[in-house]
Amino acid sequence: MNYTNKKNMSTRTKVWKGATMLRRMCVCAAVTLSGAVGNLMAKEVVIVAEGDNEPVENAAVTFYNVVRDSIGATRSDAHGRATVLKDGRYAMAEHDMFAPKMKQLSDGELTDTLSLKKATEIDELVVEASDNNKDLHRSYVIPRDDMKRYSNVYQALNEIPNVIVMPNNALYFEGSENVKLLLNGVDTSIIELRALDKDDILKINTYSIAPARYRVEGYDAVIDVITKSSLRGGNASISVDQAPYPLIGENSAALFYNYRSSRFSAIYSNSNNHQTRYRQSEFLDYDYDGVEYYKHKDGLDSHRNRDNNSLTLGYQTVKPGEYQYTAQLSGSISRNGTDLLQRVTSQSNPMPYDANNELYIGSNDVVLRNYFEKTLGDRDNPGTLVASLTLQRTNSDYLSRYREFESGAADPTVSEGSQYDIQFSNAVANLIYFFPYKKWGSLSLSVYDGFNYSRYLEPSIRTTQRKNVAGAWAQYYKGLGKFIVWVTAGLQNEYTYSSVSDRKQSEWNPSITAYLYYNITRSFRLSASYSLSTAAPSISQMSQTNQWLDTRLIFHGNPYLHSYTQHQVSLAAVYGSKYVDFTLIGSYSDIPGRICENFQEGPNSMLETLINLDKYRELTGTLQFTVKPLGSTIWTIDARIIGGRLKGASPTYDWTGYRFQLMPYTSLNLEKWTVYASYQYPGKLAIGQLIMPRTESWRVGFNYRPKESLSLGMSIQCPFGKGWKESQRTVAESPVQLNSEIFARDRANLVSLMLEWNVSFGKNRKRQAEQRINISTEENGVLQKL
């Protein structure tokens, strides 16, 4: 199945040929029968193409009363049907591929047919692939009146069922946060979607199962924003979410310009976090050689600075129905530094003394992405060839220093530190072919290769790692009545050489992902899935650079780590209606050999290192729901609830961990105002041997839109709170109890000012907002589905 952007075609392209006469008769008969059976329902008009009587989907249908005053509008569904509004006596249908036509509706008939002629000149044309399965891939048009109630296109994704977009830009779709964002089939970012002009949006495509090329990257689902074709001109935008004191914010600016078949873009982003009341406390307790060692470090007000800046330049050229090429060049600079002050007591010195812990991490990153898509073969049911090439170069520097000043000494009695830098070079190529859809199903094949060279350099040691990952996968799906089978199978070879162990490894690993869907109704779906995947250690996990943690406690990696396999079984239920949407997911994972922290007694000290576990199993449940008390998204109440239990076993001890999270969110979205509030319950996470209690936090805010292109707002984080607290600790079974707590007093009562401004220039498209009013149904809510 072709998951990429379905391209605009030339003005004389024939898009509806190829269906048999029997199929056309069945479609018309089904439409007529549905009208006859539903004699208590509203009258319908069916929009078809003149000549072959194929239903016309997504035609704008405007209704007029007996004196020909417009009384409202809607759009035709996948069968060409549109419900006639009350008092409707005339219907006018408009579609980019056809000449507009008005018809007087007949009396006494439940169904009228309106035939449209193919347009001789087509300014804009979008064709859906013939193999779209509406239960796994759906398309949505967000009415302009609903778009107005959001500050930007990205926030407007809240209109799509089972999608939640939080004020902090976190996005969840059908229970998953691993969602790939695309713009016209190409990788995009939150910043780019926020910068789009609302009038440029044609539709939103959602994929409940990510195409295989994204699943191998760890994504569960895909959301693809499709813009109108044949656009001219451009738009500039600026987005500010900044707290003036302390400096904590996320800001961006973007510029887009469309010229003929080309699109140019420039996007700049900045995130900053400068805190002066940042405290980190730590508690260590362990036995070594029959002696108990403990150290308690009380955090004092300290400085923490973080600055990340990036610039992305993009170019895209499209010939509708034939090819698309996109290139993106991005560079980023990141600087993170922490200067921690602590007051220390220990088993050897119960009198408090001072300590200073400095950490600096800086990185520079350059990425070049190339994407090419070519349509091949029959235009009515084409195949598609996709090729991509990504080149990346990253340099990062790490510097840490820890000093203790006992008994008021001017010089440190303890001074330890480490310094290293990592250079990362990567090239990944991917070639995919999507075969034309056949009666026996849909098939796509891919081959790929990725080469990585990493260099780990410290003052006296140089470590290098070469890795090459090559493989192939095949993906197949087929609808069988209300059931859908979706299978992806791959085989991958991973070659690794690490100089630290002077060892070469070459492994062949299979990967399998299989789904079985049962569509009870269009609004209610059940699914079961199984996946088999393999993960490999990184060079930083294999480094043996000592990092000092305490007098008798150090940390370093393990050069003898090996790849491990993960098995996962999941069951899910997805439901959507006018008043409530929900997703319920239960999953069980068996990950023998998972890489995890482990504590063991070394020759001169306790050692925290990484090992491949003997056993690691996890059971997780997720419930995501949205309640719409008014039957629309004007007022929504959202929540995510996650619970889990894990069992791990190392060669020396076993442990059990638990997870619980509750995150409710509510928003009131009016034409000029948006008011929202979010809350995070102080639950906890369990990852590996770490237990991480969640901070209790809440945020309230509002946005005011004096005009649609301008949004002003303010938010307050933890109002009337004392601070932002995060912590983590090792499980009780661990021989080393290592607890850490961060208390950020700067994050309480934090006031952020917000600005969203989007300006268009030189645009040529006609705005048809009056044709996209809200048409509510019990099943679909206010969102019109294509």
PDB file of all heavy atoms in Angstrom, residues 529-533 564-571 585-592 594 615-621 645-648 659:
ATOM      1  N   SER A 529      -1.811  -8.232  18.125  1.00  0.00           N
ATOM      2  CA  SER A 529      -0.557  -8.110  17.389  1.00  0.00           C
ATOM      3  C   SER A 529       0.558  -8.873  18.085  1.00  0.00           C
ATOM      4  O   SER A 529       0.504  -9.124  19.290  1.00  0.00           O
ATOM      5  CB  SER A 529      -0.151  -6.638  17.243  1.00  0.00           C
ATOM      6  OG  SER A 529       0.166  -6.073  18.504  1.00  0.00           O
ATOM      7  N   TYR A 530       1.554  -9.222  17.292  1.00  0.00           N
ATOM      8  CA  TYR A 530       2.768  -9.843  17.795  1.00  0.00           C
ATOM      9  C   TYR A 530       3.952  -9.227  17.056  1.00  0.00           C
ATOM     10  O   TYR A 530       3.891  -8.978  15.854  1.00  0.00           O
ATOM     11  CB  TYR A 530       2.772 -11.355  17.568  1.00  0.00           C
ATOM     12  CG  TYR A 530       4.147 -11.978  17.778  1.00  0.00           C
ATOM     13  CD1 TYR A 530       4.640 -12.201  19.054  1.00  0.00           C
ATOM     14  CD2 TYR A 530       4.961 -12.294  16.687  1.00  0.00           C
ATOM     15  CE1 TYR A 530       5.907 -12.740  19.250  1.00  0.00           C
ATOM     16  CE2 TYR A 530       6.223 -12.843  16.870  1.00  0.00           C
ATOM     17  CZ  TYR A 530       6.685 -13.060  18.157  1.00  0.00           C
ATOM     18  OH  TYR A 530       7.953 -13.573  18.354  1.00  0.00           O
ATOM     19  N   SER A 531       5.035  -8.982  17.800  1.00  0.00           N
ATOM     20  CA  SER A 531       6.229  -8.439  17.159  1.00  0.00           C
ATOM     21  C   SER A 531       7.479  -9.113  17.721  1.00  0.00           C
ATOM     22  O   SER A 531       7.531  -9.466  18.899  1.00  0.00           O
ATOM     23  CB  SER A 531       6.324  -6.917  17.352  1.00  0.00           C
ATOM     24  OG  SER A 531       6.519  -6.589  18.709  1.00  0.00           O
ATOM     25  N   LEU A 532       8.455  -9.262  16.848  1.00  0.00           N
ATOM     26  CA  LEU A 532       9.768  -9.795  17.191  1.00  0.00           C
ATOM     27  C   LEU A 532      10.799  -8.826  16.646  1.00  0.00           C
ATOM     28  O   LEU A 532      10.802  -8.506  15.461  1.00  0.00           O
ATOM     29  CB  LEU A 532       9.972 -11.184  16.562  1.00  0.00           C
ATOM     30  CG  LEU A 532      11.396 -11.746  16.578  1.00  0.00           C
ATOM     31  CD1 LEU A 532      11.841 -12.044  17.996  1.00  0.00           C
ATOM     32  CD2 LEU A 532      11.478 -12.996  15.700  1.00  0.00           C
ATOM     33  N   SER A 533      11.671  -8.310  17.524  1.00  0.00           N
ATOM     34  CA  SER A 533      12.671  -7.333  17.094  1.00  0.00           C
ATOM     35  C   SER A 533      13.971  -7.555  17.852  1.00  0.00           C
ATOM     36  O   SER A 533      14.008  -8.260  18.862  1.00  0.00           O
ATOM     37  CB  SER A 533      12.167  -5.903  17.320  1.00  0.00           C
ATOM     38  OG  SER A 533      11.884  -5.686  18.695  1.00  0.00           O
ATOM     39  N   TYR A 564      20.143  -8.119  21.781  1.00  0.00           N
ATOM     40  CA  TYR A 564      19.105  -8.892  22.461  1.00  0.00           C
ATOM     41  C   TYR A 564      17.801  -8.802  21.673  1.00  0.00           C
ATOM     42  O   TYR A 564      17.591  -7.908  20.854  1.00  0.00           O
ATOM     43  CB  TYR A 564      18.904  -8.394  23.901  1.00  0.00           C
ATOM     44  CG  TYR A 564      18.471  -6.946  24.013  1.00  0.00           C
ATOM     45  CD1 TYR A 564      17.127  -6.599  24.049  1.00  0.00           C
ATOM     46  CD2 TYR A 564      19.418  -5.929  24.100  1.00  0.00           C
ATOM     47  CE1 TYR A 564      16.736  -5.279  24.162  1.00  0.00           C
ATOM     48  CE2 TYR A 564      19.041  -4.609  24.221  1.00  0.00           C
ATOM     49  CZ  TYR A 564      17.702  -4.299  24.250  1.00  0.00           C
ATOM     50  OH  TYR A 564      17.312  -2.980  24.362  1.00  0.00           O
ATOM     51  N   THR A 565      16.918  -9.758  21.940  1.00  0.00           N
ATOM     52  CA  THR A 565      15.669  -9.918  21.198  1.00  0.00           C
ATOM     53  C   THR A 565      14.479  -9.588  22.086  1.00  0.00           C
ATOM     54  O   THR A 565      14.479  -9.889  23.285  1.00  0.00           O
ATOM     55  CB  THR A 565      15.532 -11.358  20.674  1.00  0.00           C
ATOM     56  OG1 THR A 565      16.648 -11.647  19.831  1.00  0.00           O
ATOM     57  CG2 THR A 565      14.253 -11.538  19.883  1.00  0.00           C
ATOM     58  N   GLN A 566      13.481  -8.974  21.471  1.00  0.00           N
ATOM     59  CA  GLN A 566      12.267  -8.616  22.208  1.00  0.00           C
ATOM     60  C   GLN A 566      11.057  -9.253  21.538  1.00  0.00           C
ATOM     61  O   GLN A 566      10.866  -9.155  20.327  1.00  0.00           O
ATOM     62  CB  GLN A 566      12.077  -7.101  22.249  1.00  0.00           C
ATOM     63  CG  GLN A 566      10.744  -6.677  22.859  1.00  0.00           C
ATOM     64  CD  GLN A 566      10.627  -5.182  23.043  1.00  0.00           C
ATOM     65  OE1 GLN A 566      11.602  -4.511  23.385  1.00  0.00           O
ATOM     66  NE2 GLN A 566       9.445  -4.647  22.818  1.00  0.00           N
ATOM     67  N   HIS A 567      10.227  -9.927  22.349  1.00  0.00           N
ATOM     68  CA  HIS A 567       8.944 -10.466  21.908  1.00  0.00           C
ATOM     69  C   HIS A 567       7.836  -9.657  22.596  1.00  0.00           C
ATOM     70  O   HIS A 567       7.888  -9.433  23.813  1.00  0.00           O
ATOM     71  CB  HIS A 567       8.793 -11.939  22.306  1.00  0.00           C
ATOM     72  CG  HIS A 567       9.886 -12.826  21.771  1.00  0.00           C
ATOM     73  ND1 HIS A 567       9.768 -13.509  20.586  1.00  0.00           N
ATOM     74  CD2 HIS A 567      11.120 -13.115  22.262  1.00  0.00           C
ATOM     75  CE1 HIS A 567      10.873 -14.200  20.377  1.00  0.00           C
ATOM     76  NE2 HIS A 567      11.717 -13.979  21.378  1.00  0.00           N
ATOM     77  N   GLN A 568       6.836  -9.246  21.823  1.00  0.00           N
ATOM     78  CA  GLN A 568       5.738  -8.469  22.410  1.00  0.00           C
ATOM     79  C   GLN A 568       4.403  -8.913  21.822  1.00  0.00           C
ATOM     80  O   GLN A 568       4.265  -9.068  20.603  1.00  0.00           O
ATOM     81  CB  GLN A 568       5.929  -6.979  22.180  1.00  0.00           C
ATOM     82  CG  GLN A 568       4.877  -6.122  22.882  1.00  0.00           C
ATOM     83  CD  GLN A 568       5.111  -4.635  22.693  1.00  0.00           C
ATOM     84  OE1 GLN A 568       4.969  -4.121  21.594  1.00  0.00           O
ATOM     85  NE2 GLN A 568       5.506  -3.957  23.762  1.00  0.00           N
ATOM     86  N   VAL A 569       3.433  -9.113  22.706  1.00  0.00           N
ATOM     87  CA  VAL A 569       2.066  -9.454  22.312  1.00  0.00           C
ATOM     88  C   VAL A 569       1.149  -8.370  22.863  1.00  0.00           C
ATOM     89  O   VAL A 569       1.270  -7.978  24.037  1.00  0.00           O
ATOM     90  CB  VAL A 569       1.647 -10.836  22.856  1.00  0.00           C
ATOM     91  CG1 VAL A 569       0.203 -11.140  22.475  1.00  0.00           C
ATOM     92  CG2 VAL A 569       2.571 -11.921  22.316  1.00  0.00           C
ATOM     93  N   SER A 570       0.241  -7.857  22.012  1.00  0.00           N
ATOM     94  CA  SER A 570      -0.644  -6.766  22.428  1.00  0.00           C
ATOM     95  C   SER A 570      -2.076  -7.041  22.003  1.00  0.00           C
ATOM     96  O   SER A 570      -2.319  -7.652  20.943  1.00  0.00           O
ATOM     97  CB  SER A 570      -0.193  -5.429  21.823  1.00  0.00           C
ATOM     98  OG  SER A 570       1.081  -5.064  22.275  1.00  0.00           O
ATOM     99  N   LEU A 571      -3.005  -6.574  22.820  1.00  0.00           N
ATOM    100  CA  LEU A 571      -4.431  -6.563  22.505  1.00  0.00           C
ATOM    101  C   LEU A 571      -4.919  -5.135  22.660  1.00  0.00           C
ATOM    102  O   LEU A 571      -4.514  -4.425  23.587  1.00  0.00           O
ATOM    103  CB  LEU A 571      -5.211  -7.490  23.433  1.00  0.00           C
ATOM    104  CG  LEU A 571      -4.833  -8.973  23.415  1.00  0.00           C
ATOM    105  CD1 LEU A 571      -5.609  -9.722  24.500  1.00  0.00           C
ATOM    106  CD2 LEU A 571      -5.121  -9.588  22.051  1.00  0.00           C
ATOM    107  N   ILE A 585      -5.246  -0.541  25.597  1.00  0.00           N
ATOM    108  CA  ILE A 585      -4.180  -1.405  25.101  1.00  0.00           C
ATOM    109  C   ILE A 585      -3.587  -2.193  26.262  1.00  0.00           C
ATOM    110  O   ILE A 585      -3.263  -1.627  27.307  1.00  0.00           O
ATOM    111  CB  ILE A 585      -3.062  -0.588  24.425  1.00  0.00           C
ATOM    112  CG1 ILE A 585      -3.621   0.280  23.303  1.00  0.00           C
ATOM    113  CG2 ILE A 585      -1.975  -1.508  23.885  1.00  0.00           C
ATOM    114  CD1 ILE A 585      -2.600   1.216  22.704  1.00  0.00           C
ATOM    115  N   GLY A 586      -3.428  -3.475  26.056  1.00  0.00           N
ATOM    116  CA  GLY A 586      -2.704  -4.320  27.001  1.00  0.00           C
ATOM    117  C   GLY A 586      -1.578  -5.022  26.269  1.00  0.00           C
ATOM    118  O   GLY A 586      -1.785  -5.555  25.170  1.00  0.00           O
ATOM    119  N   SER A 587      -0.369  -5.017  26.838  1.00  0.00           N
ATOM    120  CA  SER A 587       0.763  -5.635  26.151  1.00  0.00           C
ATOM    121  C   SER A 587       1.637  -6.390  27.138  1.00  0.00           C
ATOM    122  O   SER A 587       1.765  -6.007  28.306  1.00  0.00           O
ATOM    123  CB  SER A 587       1.598  -4.584  25.420  1.00  0.00           C
ATOM    124  OG  SER A 587       2.180  -3.677  26.335  1.00  0.00           O
ATOM    125  N   TYR A 588       2.251  -7.461  26.629  1.00  0.00           N
ATOM    126  CA  TYR A 588       3.181  -8.276  27.404  1.00  0.00           C
ATOM    127  C   TYR A 588       4.471  -8.386  26.613  1.00  0.00           C
ATOM    128  O   TYR A 588       4.460  -8.751  25.428  1.00  0.00           O
ATOM    129  CB  TYR A 588       2.601  -9.655  27.681  1.00  0.00           C
ATOM    130  CG  TYR A 588       3.591 -10.616  28.312  1.00  0.00           C
ATOM    131  CD1 TYR A 588       3.935 -10.498  29.654  1.00  0.00           C
ATOM    132  CD2 TYR A 588       4.195 -11.615  27.558  1.00  0.00           C
ATOM    133  CE1 TYR A 588       4.848 -11.370  30.231  1.00  0.00           C
ATOM    134  CE2 TYR A 588       5.108 -12.491  28.128  1.00  0.00           C
ATOM    135  CZ  TYR A 588       5.434 -12.357  29.467  1.00  0.00           C
ATOM    136  OH  TYR A 588       6.355 -13.205  30.031  1.00  0.00           O
ATOM    137  N   SER A 589       5.603  -8.072  27.248  1.00  0.00           N
ATOM    138  CA  SER A 589       6.909  -8.106  26.584  1.00  0.00           C
ATOM    139  C   SER A 589       7.835  -9.070  27.310  1.00  0.00           C
ATOM    140  O   SER A 589       7.921  -9.049  28.548  1.00  0.00           O
ATOM    141  CB  SER A 589       7.547  -6.713  26.555  1.00  0.00           C
ATOM    142  OG  SER A 589       6.750  -5.812  25.827  1.00  0.00           O
ATOM    143  N   ASP A 590       8.518  -9.880  26.544  1.00  0.00           N
ATOM    144  CA  ASP A 590       9.548 -10.781  27.059  1.00  0.00           C
ATOM    145  C   ASP A 590      10.851 -10.390  26.361  1.00  0.00           C
ATOM    146  O   ASP A 590      10.972 -10.522  25.142  1.00  0.00           O
ATOM    147  CB  ASP A 590       9.186 -12.231  26.776  1.00  0.00           C
ATOM    148  CG  ASP A 590      10.204 -13.204  27.368  1.00  0.00           C
ATOM    149  OD1 ASP A 590      11.020 -12.763  28.210  1.00  0.00           O
ATOM    150  OD2 ASP A 590      10.192 -14.386  26.986  1.00  0.00           O
ATOM    151  N   ILE A 591      11.828  -9.879  27.155  1.00  0.00           N
ATOM    152  CA  ILE A 591      13.055  -9.336  26.573  1.00  0.00           C
ATOM    153  C   ILE A 591      14.258  -9.981  27.242  1.00  0.00           C
ATOM    154  O   ILE A 591      14.981  -9.358  28.032  1.00  0.00           O
ATOM    155  CB  ILE A 591      13.114  -7.797  26.736  1.00  0.00           C
ATOM    156  CG1 ILE A 591      11.745  -7.164  26.476  1.00  0.00           C
ATOM    157  CG2 ILE A 591      14.157  -7.195  25.800  1.00  0.00           C
ATOM    158  CD1 ILE A 591      11.699  -5.685  26.732  1.00  0.00           C
ATOM    159  N   PRO A 592      14.520 -11.247  26.980  1.00  0.00           N
ATOM    160  CA  PRO A 592      15.720 -11.854  27.558  1.00  0.00           C
ATOM    161  C   PRO A 592      16.969 -11.202  26.977  1.00  0.00           C
ATOM    162  O   PRO A 592      17.047 -10.916  25.783  1.00  0.00           O
ATOM    163  CB  PRO A 592      15.602 -13.323  27.125  1.00  0.00           C
ATOM    164  CG  PRO A 592      14.727 -13.297  25.918  1.00  0.00           C
ATOM    165  CD  PRO A 592      13.764 -12.176  26.125  1.00  0.00           C
ATOM    166  N   ARG A 594      18.014  -8.168  27.853  1.00  0.00           N
ATOM    167  CA  ARG A 594      17.906  -6.710  27.843  1.00  0.00           C
ATOM    168  C   ARG A 594      19.102  -6.071  28.543  1.00  0.00           C
ATOM    169  O   ARG A 594      19.563  -6.539  29.578  1.00  0.00           O
ATOM    170  CB  ARG A 594      16.620  -6.269  28.543  1.00  0.00           C
ATOM    171  CG  ARG A 594      16.373  -4.766  28.506  1.00  0.00           C
ATOM    172  CD  ARG A 594      15.176  -4.431  29.395  1.00  0.00           C
ATOM    173  NE  ARG A 594      14.710  -3.075  29.202  1.00  0.00           N
ATOM    174  CZ  ARG A 594      15.189  -2.009  29.819  1.00  0.00           C
ATOM    175  NH1 ARG A 594      16.200  -2.149  30.664  1.00  0.00           N
ATOM    176  NH2 ARG A 594      14.684  -0.808  29.613  1.00  0.00           N
ATOM    177  N   LYS A 615      16.752 -12.316  32.573  1.00  0.00           N
ATOM    178  CA  LYS A 615      15.311 -12.291  32.340  1.00  0.00           C
ATOM    179  C   LYS A 615      14.800 -10.870  32.496  1.00  0.00           C
ATOM    180  O   LYS A 615      15.258 -10.115  33.356  1.00  0.00           O
ATOM    181  CB  LYS A 615      14.600 -13.211  33.352  1.00  0.00           C
ATOM    182  CG  LYS A 615      13.075 -13.228  33.222  1.00  0.00           C
ATOM    183  CD  LYS A 615      12.438 -14.170  34.235  1.00  0.00           C
ATOM    184  CE  LYS A 615      12.584 -13.649  35.654  1.00  0.00           C
ATOM    185  NZ  LYS A 615      11.875 -14.496  36.637  1.00  0.00           N
ATOM    186  N   TYR A 616      13.863 -10.491  31.628  1.00  0.00           N
ATOM    187  CA  TYR A 616      13.181  -9.198  31.782  1.00  0.00           C
ATOM    188  C   TYR A 616      11.812  -9.320  31.122  1.00  0.00           C
ATOM    189  O   TYR A 616      11.701  -9.538  29.910  1.00  0.00           O
ATOM    190  CB  TYR A 616      13.982  -8.079  31.127  1.00  0.00           C
ATOM    191  CG  TYR A 616      13.455  -6.687  31.462  1.00  0.00           C
ATOM    192  CD1 TYR A 616      13.883  -6.029  32.603  1.00  0.00           C
ATOM    193  CD2 TYR A 616      12.538  -6.051  30.636  1.00  0.00           C
ATOM    194  CE1 TYR A 616      13.418  -4.763  32.924  1.00  0.00           C
ATOM    195  CE2 TYR A 616      12.062  -4.795  30.946  1.00  0.00           C
ATOM    196  CZ  TYR A 616      12.504  -4.158  32.082  1.00  0.00           C
ATOM    197  OH  TYR A 616      12.031  -2.891  32.406  1.00  0.00           O
ATOM    198  N   ARG A 617      10.758  -9.193  31.917  1.00  0.00           N
ATOM    199  CA  ARG A 617       9.385  -9.313  31.434  1.00  0.00           C
ATOM    200  C   ARG A 617       8.561  -8.155  31.956  1.00  0.00           C
ATOM    201  O   ARG A 617       8.712  -7.755  33.108  1.00  0.00           O
ATOM    202  CB  ARG A 617       8.777 -10.649  31.871  1.00  0.00           C
ATOM    203  CG  ARG A 617       9.481 -11.859  31.266  1.00  0.00           C
ATOM    204  CD  ARG A 617       9.035 -13.158  31.892  1.00  0.00           C
ATOM    205  NE  ARG A 617       9.760 -14.296  31.319  1.00  0.00           N
ATOM    206  CZ  ARG A 617       9.707 -15.516  31.812  1.00  0.00           C
ATOM    207  NH1 ARG A 617       8.976 -15.764  32.896  1.00  0.00           N
ATOM    208  NH2 ARG A 617      10.400 -16.490  31.234  1.00  0.00           N
ATOM    209  N   GLU A 618       7.691  -7.658  31.095  1.00  0.00           N
ATOM    210  CA  GLU A 618       6.917  -6.479  31.464  1.00  0.00           C
ATOM    211  C   GLU A 618       5.483  -6.620  30.974  1.00  0.00           C
ATOM    212  O   GLU A 618       5.230  -6.996  29.826  1.00  0.00           O
ATOM    213  CB  GLU A 618       7.549  -5.221  30.871  1.00  0.00           C
ATOM    214  CG  GLU A 618       6.883  -3.934  31.310  1.00  0.00           C
ATOM    215  CD  GLU A 618       7.644  -2.701  30.864  1.00  0.00           C
ATOM    216  OE1 GLU A 618       8.637  -2.857  30.122  1.00  0.00           O
ATOM    217  OE2 GLU A 618       7.263  -1.592  31.245  1.00  0.00           O
ATOM    218  N   LEU A 619       4.534  -6.297  31.859  1.00  0.00           N
ATOM    219  CA  LEU A 619       3.110  -6.293  31.543  1.00  0.00           C
ATOM    220  C   LEU A 619       2.602  -4.866  31.724  1.00  0.00           C
ATOM    221  O   LEU A 619       2.750  -4.287  32.799  1.00  0.00           O
ATOM    222  CB  LEU A 619       2.350  -7.253  32.455  1.00  0.00           C
ATOM    223  CG  LEU A 619       0.840  -7.375  32.225  1.00  0.00           C
ATOM    224  CD1 LEU A 619       0.558  -7.983  30.857  1.00  0.00           C
ATOM    225  CD2 LEU A 619       0.194  -8.217  33.328  1.00  0.00           C
ATOM    226  N   THR A 620       1.992  -4.297  30.659  1.00  0.00           N
ATOM    227  CA  THR A 620       1.600  -2.890  30.684  1.00  0.00           C
ATOM    228  C   THR A 620       0.184  -2.730  30.140  1.00  0.00           C
ATOM    229  O   THR A 620      -0.208  -3.411  29.185  1.00  0.00           O
ATOM    230  CB  THR A 620       2.560  -2.032  29.832  1.00  0.00           C
ATOM    231  OG1 THR A 620       3.895  -2.216  30.288  1.00  0.00           O
ATOM    232  CG2 THR A 620       2.208  -0.559  29.935  1.00  0.00           C
ATOM    233  N   GLY A 621      -0.565  -1.830  30.750  1.00  0.00           N
ATOM    234  CA  GLY A 621      -1.896  -1.474  30.260  1.00  0.00           C
ATOM    235  C   GLY A 621      -2.009   0.033  30.116  1.00  0.00           C
ATOM    236  O   GLY A 621      -1.525   0.782  30.969  1.00  0.00           O
ATOM    237  N   ARG A 645       3.772  -3.718  35.406  1.00  0.00           N
ATOM    238  CA  ARG A 645       4.547  -4.523  36.353  1.00  0.00           C
ATOM    239  C   ARG A 645       5.667  -5.212  35.572  1.00  0.00           C
ATOM    240  O   ARG A 645       5.440  -5.732  34.474  1.00  0.00           O
ATOM    241  CB  ARG A 645       3.659  -5.572  37.021  1.00  0.00           C
ATOM    242  CG  ARG A 645       4.369  -6.490  38.021  1.00  0.00           C
ATOM    243  CD  ARG A 645       3.359  -7.450  38.633  1.00  0.00           C
ATOM    244  NE  ARG A 645       3.958  -8.296  39.664  1.00  0.00           N
ATOM    245  CZ  ARG A 645       4.518  -9.472  39.425  1.00  0.00           C
ATOM    246  NH1 ARG A 645       4.582  -9.941  38.183  1.00  0.00           N
ATOM    247  NH2 ARG A 645       5.011 -10.184  40.420  1.00  0.00           N
ATOM    248  N   LEU A 646       6.877  -5.183  36.134  1.00  0.00           N
ATOM    249  CA  LEU A 646       8.001  -5.821  35.457  1.00  0.00           C
ATOM    250  C   LEU A 646       8.748  -6.739  36.418  1.00  0.00           C
ATOM    251  O   LEU A 646       8.748  -6.525  37.633  1.00  0.00           O
ATOM    252  CB  LEU A 646       8.952  -4.780  34.859  1.00  0.00           C
ATOM    253  CG  LEU A 646       9.749  -3.861  35.795  1.00  0.00           C
ATOM    254  CD1 LEU A 646      11.043  -4.522  36.267  1.00  0.00           C
ATOM    255  CD2 LEU A 646      10.074  -2.556  35.089  1.00  0.00           C
ATOM    256  N   LYS A 647       9.384  -7.760  35.840  1.00  0.00           N
ATOM    257  CA  LYS A 647      10.229  -8.687  36.586  1.00  0.00           C
ATOM    258  C   LYS A 647      11.563  -8.772  35.876  1.00  0.00           C
ATOM    259  O   LYS A 647      11.634  -9.016  34.670  1.00  0.00           O
ATOM    260  CB  LYS A 647       9.579 -10.076  36.640  1.00  0.00           C
ATOM    261  CG  LYS A 647       8.333 -10.159  37.512  1.00  0.00           C
ATOM    262  CD  LYS A 647       8.671 -10.201  38.985  1.00  0.00           C
ATOM    263  CE  LYS A 647       9.339 -11.504  39.361  1.00  0.00           C
ATOM    264  NZ  LYS A 647       9.584 -11.607  40.820  1.00  0.00           N
ATOM    265  N   GLY A 648      12.643  -8.545  36.626  1.00  0.00           N
ATOM    266  CA  GLY A 648      13.978  -8.626  36.069  1.00  0.00           C
ATOM    267  C   GLY A 648      14.854  -9.551  36.879  1.00  0.00           C
ATOM    268  O   GLY A 648      14.627  -9.758  38.084  1.00  0.00           O
ATOM    269  N   ARG A 659       4.570   0.363  37.836  1.00  0.00           N
ATOM    270  CA  ARG A 659       4.412   1.641  37.144  1.00  0.00           C
ATOM    271  C   ARG A 659       2.963   2.099  37.228  1.00  0.00           C
ATOM    272  O   ARG A 659       2.037   1.304  37.060  1.00  0.00           O
ATOM    273  CB  ARG A 659       4.813   1.505  35.679  1.00  0.00           C
ATOM    274  CG  ARG A 659       4.579   2.751  34.827  1.00  0.00           C
ATOM    275  CD  ARG A 659       4.946   2.485  33.377  1.00  0.00           C
ATOM    276  NE  ARG A 659       4.830   3.687  32.570  1.00  0.00           N
ATOM    277  CZ  ARG A 659       5.050   3.727  31.258  1.00  0.00           C
ATOM    278  NH1 ARG A 659       5.410   2.630  30.619  1.00  0.00           N
ATOM    279  NH2 ARG A 659       4.927   4.860  30.588  1.00  0.00           N
TER     280      ARG A 659
END
